[in-house]
Amino acid sequence: MDRPTMKPWIEGIHAYVPGKSTASDGRQLVKLSANENPLGCSPAAIAALAEGHAPATYPDPDATALRTAIGRHCGVDPARIVCGTGSDELLNLAAQGFAGPGDEVLFSRYSFAVYDIAARRCGATPVEAPDDDYATDVDALLEAVTGRTRVVFLANPNNPTGTYLPRAEVERLHAGLPSDVLLVVDQAYAEYLEPEEGDGGIDLALAHGNVLVTRTFSKIYGLAGERIGWATGAPHLIDVLNRIRGPFNVTASGQRAALAALADRDFKARSREANRIERTRFTAAIDALGNHGLRAIPSKANFVLVLFEGALTAETALEAIGEAGYAVRHLPGQGLPQALRITIGTAQQMNDITAVLRRLCGEAA
């Protein structure tokens, strides 16, 4: 042996593959592959990024002002909030803090790809529960719980399917878990829900000692490039994440931008409404192509998973959409070779994607 060898559980990790933004020939594509906000971010956030930039100085290691603002916004004690480098860091820390070799980390089939990585990264075994037509099946998750289960991940709304588990089902899932199993409710797309559609995750986190909720500023707030996320849960859960998170993990500029974005409620409302309108319109367009084998999974997020179950394949559609200048997400690595996940963009962008699909199906323009 003439070189260091990786741990066997690391060897089993397939690196996360981000959404593409260029074609195979190097052409820059309109990026509808990463669920970014087509409206960009709040003008207030842009202004905050330009203010007081001091790259030689470390940021506030505890993101005190940001945690205070988040706490005020969500009705949570700031002491029960921890910020991270996107919610991805916090998801990984949840697995690392509560699972290890010999343990199991459970999630539904067709869940966020990071869950499998987070489990393997700490030496735990990832376990997939069967889905219910691409949606989370609570009974299947509960049946998959064993004495080795330590963490259960629930993305709600789910990525990459866009499906949503209502509050009663989230509560039923939690009630069926042993008290020593951590339930992580990943709410990266929660702000795209209507106010009355909340899944109650934060209420569960405030009331119980085994629930952690994660959120991000990468989606509706349009700050994906700044990498800012946060989590809330019982004090002992937050203590664990604080012990193992990176020091100075959220940049000073990111903290300022997130503060400004959080305060701009009009931008968030406009983003939600624009997404609702275009998602509804695009889903209807896909439904109209149902006789050609296309099917849109009902989505509550800022993307739609389109299934190609007829003569037109996802690969053919992917190539044609790319030729039209757009990047969308093909997910064969997640067991979805028959599907494309398409971010909801502007009205013109969605018109262009729809026109490509209609043409491929032989429909008149």
Side-chain angles (χ1 to χ4, degrees), residues 28-41:
Q28 195 70 32
L29 302 175
V30 176
K31 192 177 175 187
L32 297 181
S33 58
N35 303 338
E36 295 158 337
N37 189 334
L39 303 185
C41 68

Side-chain angles (χ1 to χ4, degrees), residues 290-303:
N291 58 325
H292 296 282
L294 275 64
R295 177 161 71 106
I297 299 300
S299 174
K300 292 287 189 179
N302 68 335
F303 57 85

Side-chain angles (χ1 to χ4, degrees), residues 34-35 78 166 206 215 241 252 314 343:
N35 303 338
L206 293 177
R215 289 201 180 183
L241 270 59
T343 302

